[in-house]
Amino acid sequence: HPSLKRLGCSTNPLTGRDVSYNTALTQLYCSNIQLAELDVSHNTALGGLDCSNNSLTELDVSQNTAMDVFECYNNQLTELDVSQNTALGYLNCSGNQINGGNMEVLVASLPTVDVDYWGENGSIIVIDLDSETEQNVITTTQVATARGKNWTVYGLIDDDWQEYDGSEPTYTISLPESFEHGTVECDKQTAYEGQTVTLTVKPDNGYELETLTVTFTNENEPSGAPLRLRGGSLELTPGENGTYT
């Protein structure tokens, strides 16, 4: 109905939702419904949008200039621009695939939060470090830019939302060109601080793994020093089928 102002359709088994005729909408809750696409370009009065836990690969919110609360976490977004959402004070975009230059664009697009209006800094939840599928990456420099616009940056760390300083540096992962009596594979070529890396060890028939050692080097550490992430030594956790994380 064109005069509908609030719509909640979360947790319904839908793959599409046409809200183009609901031009008076101010609140839209459409999480957990397997959405592959969402068009909110006609919903210019929208103040709050929750489209989390779907399968969105892109989302245009440039026409939603009144939106002050926006949740799009756990999708497949590779980019996000909120430059037209000048009233925005809360954003949760964790659990997506925004990194590198696209994270730079997102941070640059953040409006400066009106602290007098909100009573505090804006909140942006940008990364879930407890999730093995998290592909968002925000660096310390990008966090500093967000803070300069009166945003507090949060990450999920050990089941708790905590203020997050950003991940830098990114670690390059390399393996020897060959192994004797088996193979070792890694699921990533680079990893940021706190990210899970999985090594898969496959011994040849008649052989078994005796030891597995991970070392790292940088300008401030001697060659061969134990890898340290977030202030501690790396511990390898054995999994199934010869995997270690």
Side-chain angles (χ1 to χ4, degrees), residues 222-234:
S223 176
L227 176 61
R228 296 184 299 181
L229 295 179
R230 291 162 58 179
S233 298
L234 177 67

Side-chain angles (χ1 to χ4, degrees), residues 81-220:
D81 185 338
V82 294
S83 58
Q84 302 303 310
N85 311 113
T86 55
L88 196 63
Y90 178 87
L91 171 62
N92 187 343
C93 59
S94 61
N96 280 290
Q97 303 170 20
I98 307 170
N99 51 62
N102 287 342
M103 180 60 74
E104 194 75 25
V105 170
L106 171 57
V107 171
S109 75
L110 289 171
T112 299
V113 173
D114 185 346
V115 177
D116 291 334
Y117 173 79
W118 283 92
E120 59 184 357
N121 279 8
S123 298
I124 176 171
I125 301 173
V126 72
I127 192 165
D128 181 354
L129 289 174
D130 292 343
S131 171
E132 294 184 3
T133 61
E134 176 66 87
Q135 296 186 50
N136 283 1
V137 179
I138 185 168
T139 67
T140 54
T141 301
Q142 291 163 347
V143 168
T145 299
R147 288 172 175 168
K149 297 181 175 185
N150 300 331
W151 287 89
T152 301
V153 180
Y154 293 96
L156 183 64
I157 304 172
D158 297 329
D159 292 321
D160 183 30
W161 291 115
Q162 302 178 25
E163 190 166 345
Y164 183 60
D165 292 328
S167 58
E168 204 164 40
T170 296
Y171 296 88
T172 300
I173 302 168
S174 60
L175 297 173
E177 293 184 359
S178 62
F179 296 87
E180 292 185 359
H181 310 303
T183 62
V184 178
E185 298 176 350
C186 184
D187 67 336
K188 296 179 179 65
Q189 293 182 328
T190 62
Y192 55 84
E193 180 179 346
Q195 189 175 21
T196 298
V197 176
T198 300
L199 299 173
T200 302
V201 181
K202 297 179 180 179
D204 290 339
N205 290 336
Y207 292 87
E208 62 181 27
L209 179 67
E210 181 175 319
T211 60
L212 182 62
T213 303
V214 178
T215 59
F216 93 124
T217 59
N218 68 19
E219 294 179 355
N220 300 315

Side-chain angles (χ1 to χ4, degrees), residues 48-88:
L49 173 61
D50 180 0
C51 56
S52 56
N53 291 309
N54 283 301
S55 302
L56 300 173
T57 58
E58 58 182 2
L59 185 60
D60 182 359
V61 291
S62 62
Q63 303 303 309
N64 312 112
T65 56
M67 187 165 64
D68 56 8
V69 175
F70 181 22
E71 297 187 274
C72 57
Y73 59 91
N74 292 344
N75 277 285
Q76 299 170 27
L77 301 173
T78 59
E79 58 185 4
L80 192 62
D81 185 338
V82 294
S83 58
Q84 302 303 310
N85 311 113
T86 55
L88 196 63

